[in-house]
Amino acid sequence: MRVATKTLCCMFMLLAALTGCGQPAAPKHIGILLHGESRIPLQTGFLEEMKTLGFEDGKNLLVTTLNSNNDPKQLKPLTEQLLAQPLDLLVAAGGLEAEEIKAQLDKSKGQTPVLVLYINSIIERQFVADRRNPGWNVTGIDNLNAELSGKRVELMHDLIPNLKRLLVLYHPKIEPSAIGLQHARDEANKYGIQIVERAVTKADEIKQAMEALRPGDVDAMLLVPTAPIDNELKNVILPNTERLKIPVMAHSRSMLQAGALASYGAPFTELGRQGARLAQKILSGVPASSNPFEVPTKYEYSVSQTALKKLGLDLPALVRSQVTEIIE
Amino acid sequence: MFMRVGTLANRIILLVLALELVSIALWGTITYQSSRQELTNSIRSQLHESALRVQTTIGNFFSPINLQTRVVADLIHGVRLNSQDTTYLFNQLLRDRIEIEEISLVAPTGREQIRLSRLHGYAAKDLRDVSTDAQVQSALAGNSAYSKIEFSQYLEPILHASFPVGPSGNTDGAITMVINLKALWALVQQQRIGRSGYAYVVDAEYALIGHADQSLVLKGLKITETQVPPALLTHGESSDVLTYRSLQGIEVLGISSYDADNNWWEIVELPTAEALAPLDRMIQKYMLVFILAASFTVVTVLIFSRVTTRPLQRFHDGMARIANGERSVRFEVPRSSELAALAEGFNAMAQSLDQRIHELEESQQRLLKSQNEIAGLNETLQQRVDRSTRDLRLTNQMLAKTALEANQASIAKSHFLANMSHELRTPLNAIIGYSEMLQEDADMAGMKGSNADLERIKLAGRHLLSLINNILDLSKIEAGKIDLSLESVNVTDVLDQVQSTIQPLIGAHHNRFEVHGSESLGVMVSDVVRLRQIIINLLSNAFKFTDNGTVTLAVRRFVLDSRDWIEFEIRDSGIGMTPEQCARLFQSFMQADSSTTRRFGGTGLGLAISKHLCTLLGGDIFVESTAGQGSIFTVVLPVELASPITAASADALPHIVPHPTLQTASA
């Protein structure tokens, strides 16, 4: 009798093995560092695509998101807090976050894989040594935002009649901001447009710079990609541009909803999605540094119909041929 | 841990399992092989179809660009569009075709008239003279032209294309553009082969320009530097299905097709694990079927074996119960004929056994009863034996006491006799001497009438003296006070002395005396006095109990067991003796019977003394007699007696005197 019992037990154990009874894999732990609400669309696109790829927060994915709320001083402690955890991947939403993470990893010789969703001028700002071989365990998407500043000036030239004076706020200590300014300056020169430059480093200065402007001082405003400035768009910049009755050319479609006239660049959510595909590879075991930095696959030229109306502008036929989307 | 296969049920299970395993394994192997072949053919066909589909899809990558560009070119040429309208169309083209990164309109002179970019702004001052560009020249000549694929500063594959504006020979210029092939990646990513299969594109320089994993493209990978077999990159329509390691290092089945229009290869790969997954699933199914079948078999066989072996187990238990003494065990006869026969046989055996046991018990009871009786008898017998033993022990004790007393009395008697004999002999010798003196005086006085009385006194005195001497001798012997005087004795001399001594007796009963002896009898070491006493005593008895007969003394010397012996045989033809008389012949004061004493006189001590003396001289005396025919007394003595033998040591010594012809007297 014992023989039969043992035989049956062995068979059912084998059956259990064949039918795949096993423990589920431990969830992957991802940390996300955001610098202000302007990064939210990046995070949204990232998590949506991660879910599409089979990683769902709370199931097989554990996501710890920390937001500095546009306070640069918070970036360091938040980064320390994230790096203190056993992360499978640390996601930097933007360049400022990425630079803080890099600084701390350089200091601690940490090897946590890092993914940057939104960064530009990665060579110029010495964030990586090379696009193909970054020199540390990082990858991400170079959004080319600084380089696109020239293209935005061209688009503004076509969009805004009699554009002569173009306001540009920039952060002198943020490399992409200065690079973006330079591209804008170069392009503006071709069309005889004067760049009205204002160097700002913090919210107060932005507010002061904007409030100092009087109607007629500038014909339009170009946002060069600078997180501290982007984060003041809704509360400081756009109220003032509305006061000045000047259009704003932004670099993200989401800024149109806040009041900007037009935007040109890679959609934030799309960048987030693109980053998710890189995250999938990293979580599957591919080192982050084995993935060369990518550039966006798609650029959108969006124009706000509302802003056009507010500003009393018409959309020229030539511009219509360029616009990807007119947002009501 | 290890199962015990000895039981019938286990053997049945193992046998059936083994048969089933072999059957399923055989079936599985055959099915697996045929399925594998079918699957391989299916995969081959699937990959070929996929390669064809990929070639159709990716190969047409440039078709929309070509078509739309040609439309625009026709519009520019046909409608004579102005710069603004052309720019408008170019913007639309840029917006609609994300592959196009830059687009330019080149005048027939080779100078750019319009230049639009997705990333950069180009004002009029940025326009260039591209008349020396080969592709532009080709387009201006009416032919579309493509450059080699290059990689941009952002590591993306790009190529330059030029299209004529207007027909060949009548062109109005050319449209040039930079096409970013990363748009190809999305197309490549859309190519799904199976669940995890994919496609990728390799250009004429063997550089990877499109892959589902775009990081491989961004790395600037050259296929020739990987493990992809060169046979994959042939310029035929399509390669054979090959198995190799992919760019990511996993084993894949791959097939390529060369796209001559685009001068690149489209390669389709399917991981072997997925391709052969149906086989794995089939094996799993086989295993599942096997396990279920085996489980079912085990349960079925188990039930069957239990049903089959339960009666056997009951038989076993029944036999165990019988072995333990239960006799009323009987089995129900099962339906199975074999088991029914077994049960019937068992029941018959049990009944027979019961009967035998019953009989055996009865016999046992009878035996027990007998044993009890015997035990009672034994107890009685034992009691009797104990009582007899006790009585015997008391008797022995009494006898021992008596013997001790007797021995003490005998010793006392011997001492007494020895002392008294000496005390008696002195007056007796005086009596005899005085009686002889009186006879002489009477003779001299002529008192003849008194001689007869004196003669009687003298004879009585002599008889008494003889008796006393014999008693004295016997007493000395028994008291151990006799001393032997060993010396060399000439046997012939002894015989002569004996003849001389015995001479008066020869004629008393009209007997003849014959002496036979070898003249070479030689010398012996012994006590000559005691030797003579023995022979004379025996001869005296022979003459005493023989009338008108013959008395013979024969002496011979012989060797036995390397020892010299001398035998003295005294044979008479007298009255003889019965065996009973012979048995008590050598006891003290014993003659053949009381009548002998009355008839022949004598003390009855002579033979006892002779017997003792023979023993002391290291020999023995034997008698053979037949009533009415005569007697033979034989004395056997060692020729050389080393040392005198005392009475005590003589009793202790084993009887070693040879008796080759006669029965021993002591037997």
Side-chain angles (χ1 to χ4, degrees):
Chain A
M1 182 61 71
R2 281 185 297 175
V3 174
T5 307
K6 285 179 182 175
T7 308
L8 282 173
C9 285
C10 290
M11 287 176 176
F12 283 117
M13 285 170 67
L14 189 59
L15 190 62
L18 284 173
T19 51
C21 293
Q23 291 188 342
K28 299 291 185 182
H29 191 180
I30 291 181
I32 301 178
L33 183 61
L34 306 174
H35 184 51
E37 64 178 1
S38 64
R39 313 294 203 203
I40 297 296
L42 291 163
Q43 181 199 23
T44 304
F46 175 77
L47 291 178
E48 283 178 358
E49 185 66 11
M50 287 297 284
K51 189 175 180 180
T52 304
L53 296 172
F55 293 93
E56 190 168 357
D57 189 11
K59 291 185 177 176
N60 60 346
L61 190 67
L62 179 61
V63 180
T64 303
T65 304
L66 297 179
N67 193 335
S68 69
N69 293 318
N70 203 32
D71 182 357
K73 293 178 182 176
Q74 288 298 313
L75 284 175
K76 185 178 180 183
L78 294 178
T79 303
E80 289 173 348
Q81 191 176 337
L82 285 171
L83 287 175
Q85 299 181 41
L87 297 176
D88 294 299
L89 175 64
L90 179 53
V91 179
L96 287 180
E97 301 94 307
E99 285 183 329
E100 180 60 40
I101 291 168
K102 181 178 185 295
Q104 292 198 24
L105 286 176
D106 286 345
K107 191 175 178 182
S108 65
K109 309 290 184 189
Q111 292 297 318
T112 305
V114 177
L115 169 66
V116 189
L117 300 179
Y118 183 84
I119 192 170
N120 61 83
S121 308
I122 56 175
I123 304 297
E124 293 83 347
R125 69 203 296 185
Q126 297 180 338
F127 183 71
V128 294
D130 182 73
R131 290 181 179 278
R132 198 171 279 155
N133 300 299
W136 60 291
N137 200 17
V138 66
T139 188
I141 301 117
D142 181 355
N143 56 38
L144 303 181
N145 252 345
E147 291 86 338
L148 288 173
S149 292
K151 177 67 179 178
R152 293 189 187 103
V153 171
E154 181 191 74
L155 294 175
M156 291 180 79
H157 171 263
D158 295 338
L159 176 63
I160 304 165
N162 302 317
L163 177 59
K164 300 294 182 186
R165 296 165 63 84
L166 181 61
L167 173 66
V168 177
L169 300 185
Y170 74 102
H171 196 305
K173 294 182 180 177
I174 296 176
E175 190 71 23
S177 187
I179 295 172
L181 173 64
Q182 185 57 48
H183 279 283
R185 191 184 289 149
D186 293 344
E187 192 66 22
N189 285 338
K190 298 175 189 173
Y191 295 103
I193 300 171
Q194 179 189 353
I195 298 294
V196 179
E197 304 173 4
R198 294 289 185 271
V200 293
T201 58
K202 50 190 177 182
D204 291 347
E205 292 176 1
I206 297 169
K207 185 178 180 184
Q208 187 179 354
M210 290 304 297
E211 289 178 349
L213 291 171
R214 296 287 179 265
D217 289 347
V218 291
D219 301 320
M221 181 180 182
L222 172 68
L223 290 176
V224 291
T226 313
I229 298 173
D230 293 346
N231 288 327
E232 298 302 321
L233 179 68
K234 189 174 180 181
N235 297 326
V236 178
I237 297 174
L238 288 176
N240 279 289
T241 56
E242 193 172 349
R243 175 179 61 84
L244 296 172
K245 297 187 186 311
I246 58 171
V248 176
M249 170 64 81
H251 48 80
S252 169
R253 178 181 181 277
S254 59
M255 294 174 172
L256 267 63
Q257 293 169 340
L261 171 64
S263 69
Y264 184 74
F268 274 27
T269 51
E270 195 60 38
L271 291 175
R273 292 178 191 281
Q274 193 171 343
R277 290 190 282 275
L278 287 170
Q280 181 194 28
K281 293 175 65 179
I282 295 167
L283 294 178
S284 69
V286 178
S289 56
S290 294
N291 300 288
F293 264 82
E294 298 179 2
V295 295
T297 55
K298 188 176 179 182
Y299 302 95
E300 287 180 348
Y301 182 22
S302 304
V303 176
S304 167
Q305 185 70 35
T306 305
L308 282 172
K309 285 180 181 175
K310 276 189 178 179
L311 293 168
L313 294 175
D314 291 329
L315 200 61
L318 180 64
V319 176
R320 284 184 184 278
S321 67
Q322 298 169 328
V323 168
T324 312
E325 183 184 23
I326 297 174
I327 298 173
E328 294 295 334
Chain B
M1 183 66 192
F2 296 101
M3 58 185 185
R4 192 162 55 89
V5 296
T7 65
L8 187 58
N10 291 345
R11 286 180 179 176
I12 292 172
I13 291 171
L14 290 176
L15 177 64
V16 174
L17 274 180
L19 289 172
E20 185 174 300
L21 179 65
V22 169
S23 302
I24 292 180
L26 199 60
W27 168 70
T29 304
I30 294 170
T31 309
Y32 175 82
Q33 290 297 341
S34 60
S35 300
R36 183 185 176 87
Q37 187 59 44
E38 289 176 10
L39 183 66
T40 304
N41 294 338
S42 171
I43 292 169
R44 209 174 285 274
S45 172
Q46 179 188 353
L47 285 176
H48 274 290
E49 289 176 8
S50 299
L52 187 61
R53 188 184 71 240
V54 167
Q55 186 179 24
T56 305
T57 306
I58 299 177
N60 291 327
F61 173 76
F62 290 107
S63 297
I65 301 171
N66 290 338
L67 182 62
Q68 290 188 29
T69 305
R70 200 165 298 281
V71 169
V72 171
D74 288 346
L75 284 171
I76 293 171
H77 174 73
V79 185
R80 301 289 175 183
L81 291 178
N82 59 23
S83 175
Q84 189 174 357
D85 291 338
T86 303
T87 302
Y88 183 90
L89 289 177
F90 277 11
N91 278 329
Q92 283 192 326
L93 203 54
L94 273 178
R95 187 183 61 190
D96 295 342
R97 306 303 322 173
I98 62 170
E99 306 91 325
I100 302 172
E101 196 150 296
E102 284 190 12
I103 185 168
S104 304
L105 177 64
V106 180
T109 59
R111 183 159 186 87
E112 290 180 331
Q113 292 181 315
I114 300 169
R115 188 177 181 196
L116 299 176
S117 168
R118 192 176 298 281
L119 298 177
H120 307 287
Y122 290 112
K125 61 175 66 174
D126 297 318
L127 300 176
R128 306 164 297 171
D129 183 353
V130 292
S131 58
T132 57
D133 186 287
Q135 277 96 34
V136 172
Q137 289 175 353
S138 177
L140 290 174
N143 299 314
S144 299
Y146 296 89
S147 69
K148 288 182 180 178
I149 295 172
E150 302 167 357
F151 285 84
S152 71
Q153 59 176 321
Y154 306 118
L155 312 178
E156 295 172 340
I158 58 173
L159 62 77
H160 297 269
S162 298
F163 301 92
V165 177
S168 177
N170 186 27
T171 59
D172 293 332
I175 296 174
T176 65
M177 56 180 63
V178 175
I179 300 173
N180 192 326
L181 296 180
K182 71 178 178 185
L184 191 66
W185 301 348
L187 208 57
V188 170
Q189 283 173 353
Q190 292 169 8
Q191 307 307 312
R192 293 293 178 192
I193 294 91
R195 180 176 51 81
S196 56
Y198 50 86
Y200 58 93
V201 183
V202 177
D203 73 0
E205 304 292 325
Y206 306 111
L208 188 67
I209 58 172
H211 197 285
D213 183 356
Q214 62 194 54
S215 66
L216 295 175
V217 182
L218 295 174
K219 286 178 182 175
L221 208 60
K222 286 277 189 179
I223 294 301
T224 47
E225 298 168 356
T226 67
Q227 300 177 45
V228 172
L232 210 60
L233 303 175
T234 60
H235 288 78
E237 285 188 358
S238 66
S239 71
D240 197 3
V241 175
L242 302 172
T243 303
Y244 53 92
R245 293 272 168 195
S246 71
L247 302 177
Q248 293 98 328
I250 60 172
E251 189 179 88
V252 295
L253 296 170
I255 185 172
S256 72
S257 58
Y258 178 68
D259 188 337
D261 293 339
N262 299 310
N263 196 23
W264 64 37
W265 284 273
E266 292 114 2
I267 299 173
V268 170
E269 288 178 351
L270 182 65
T272 308
E274 182 192 333
L276 300 180
L279 285 177
D280 293 338
R281 286 195 294 274
M282 189 172 68
I283 291 172
Q284 284 184 346
K285 285 178 184 173
Y286 289 156
M287 292 302 294
L288 190 65
V289 168
F290 171 72
I291 290 169
L292 290 175
S295 302
F296 177 75
T297 304
V298 167
V299 172
T300 306
V301 172
L302 191 64
I303 294 169
F304 171 75
S305 64
R306 278 180 62 83
V307 168
T308 306
T309 58
R310 187 176 292 165
L312 297 177
Q313 184 62 40
R314 284 206 297 269
F315 289 154
H316 177 267
D317 295 340
M319 284 189 274
R321 287 165 58 195
I322 289 175
N324 288 331
E326 277 191 59
R327 287 158 47 190
S328 59
V329 179
R330 298 291 185 275
F331 294 131
E332 292 179 13
V333 178
R335 282 175 293 181
S336 166
S337 58
E338 294 86 347
L339 294 177
L342 184 61
E344 288 170 357
F346 182 87
N347 287 339
M349 180 199 72
Q351 190 172 359
S352 173
L353 198 61
D354 185 20
Q355 189 174 354
R356 295 287 177 86
I357 290 173
H358 181 70
E359 291 172 2
L360 196 61
E361 282 177 348
E362 286 182 350
S363 300
Q364 196 172 12
Q365 285 178 353
R366 286 197 298 273
L367 183 61
L368 189 61
K369 188 177 178 183
S370 301
Q371 283 177 340
N372 290 334
E373 291 173 357
I374 289 170
L377 289 174
N378 282 341
E379 188 177 355
T380 305
L381 184 60
Q382 185 65 36
Q383 288 174 353
R384 288 180 181 174
V385 168
D386 291 344
R387 193 163 53 244
S388 299
T389 304
R390 191 166 58 247
D391 294 345
L392 190 59
R393 194 179 298 120
L394 289 172
T395 305
N396 285 339
Q397 288 174 354
M398 290 174 66
L399 285 174
K401 186 179 178 185
T402 306
L404 182 61
E405 290 173 352
N407 191 36
Q408 289 174 348
S410 177
I411 292 170
K413 177 205 71 178
S414 298
H415 283 283
F416 172 76
L417 288 177
N419 293 330
M420 287 308 293
S421 296
H422 178 70
E423 294 302 325
L424 288 173
R425 252 190 322 187
T426 303
L428 196 54
N429 282 329
I431 292 170
I432 292 169
Y434 280 111
S435 64
E436 285 178 350
M437 287 170 68
L438 284 174
Q439 272 188 315
E440 287 175 2
D441 288 343
D443 284 343
M444 285 173 19
M447 295 171 68
K448 295 290 184 179
S450 298
N451 272 351
D453 295 332
L454 290 173
E455 184 65 21
R456 288 189 189 97
I457 292 170
K458 187 181 74 175
L459 289 174
R462 284 183 179 173
H463 178 72
L464 187 58
L465 181 61
S466 175
L467 179 62
I468 290 169
N469 284 336
N470 284 340
I471 290 170
L472 186 62
D473 283 347
L474 186 61
S475 298
K476 282 183 178 178
I477 291 169
E478 290 181 348
K481 289 186 176 180
I482 192 165
D483 294 325
L484 295 178
S485 177
L486 299 181
E487 57 182 322
S488 293
V489 178
N490 190 310
V491 179
T492 305
D493 291 348
V494 172
L495 292 180
D496 290 343
Q497 292 167 8
V498 167
Q499 275 186 285
S500 175
T501 304
I502 207 70
Q503 196 62 42
L505 298 177
I506 297 173
H509 291 278
H510 309 289
N511 292 322
R512 282 190 302 114
F513 180 50
E514 294 177 0
V515 177
H516 302 288
S518 172
E519 292 184 356
S520 60
L521 291 171
V523 177
M524 65 184 294
V525 177
S526 190
D527 187 326
V528 67
V529 175
R530 297 304 175 186
L531 178 60
R532 237 180 1 243
Q533 183 180 351
I534 293 167
I535 297 171
I536 290 170
N537 184 36
L538 292 174
L539 284 171
S540 298
N541 285 342
F543 281 112
K544 186 188 297 183
F545 296 111
T546 304
D547 288 329
N548 298 316
T550 301
V551 175
T552 305
L553 171 60
V555 183
R556 70 182 182 98
R557 186 174 182 139
F558 67 93
V559 177
L560 186 66
D561 293 336
S562 302
R563 194 174 180 190
D564 290 334
W565 299 85
I566 285 186
E567 180 188 271
F568 299 92
E569 182 189 88
I570 294 91
R571 182 189 296 260
D572 68 66
S573 56
I575 58 176
M577 292 174 288
T578 64
E580 290 78 16
Q581 289 172 328
C582 287
R584 56 176 186 268
L585 192 61
F586 293 102
Q587 294 177 8
S588 300
F589 303 104
M590 284 293 176
Q591 288 186 325
D593 58 29
S594 56
S595 64
T596 305
T597 306
R598 286 191 303 271
R599 180 180 170 190
F600 297 100
T603 61
L605 293 174
L607 286 176
I609 290 169
S610 296
K611 170 76 172 175
H612 282 297
L613 288 176
C614 280
T615 303
L616 290 174
L617 290 176
D620 206 349
I621 187 168
F622 309 96
V623 63
E624 185 182 12
S625 182
T626 305
Q629 291 184 3
S631 302
I632 302 169
F633 287 87
T634 306
V635 174
V636 179
L637 296 173
V639 170
E640 188 169 351
L641 183 63
S643 59
I645 296 175
T646 64
S649 63
D651 292 338
L653 284 171
H655 196 80
I656 56 173
V657 180
H659 180 221
T661 55
L662 302 174
Q663 180 183 0
T664 76
S666 60

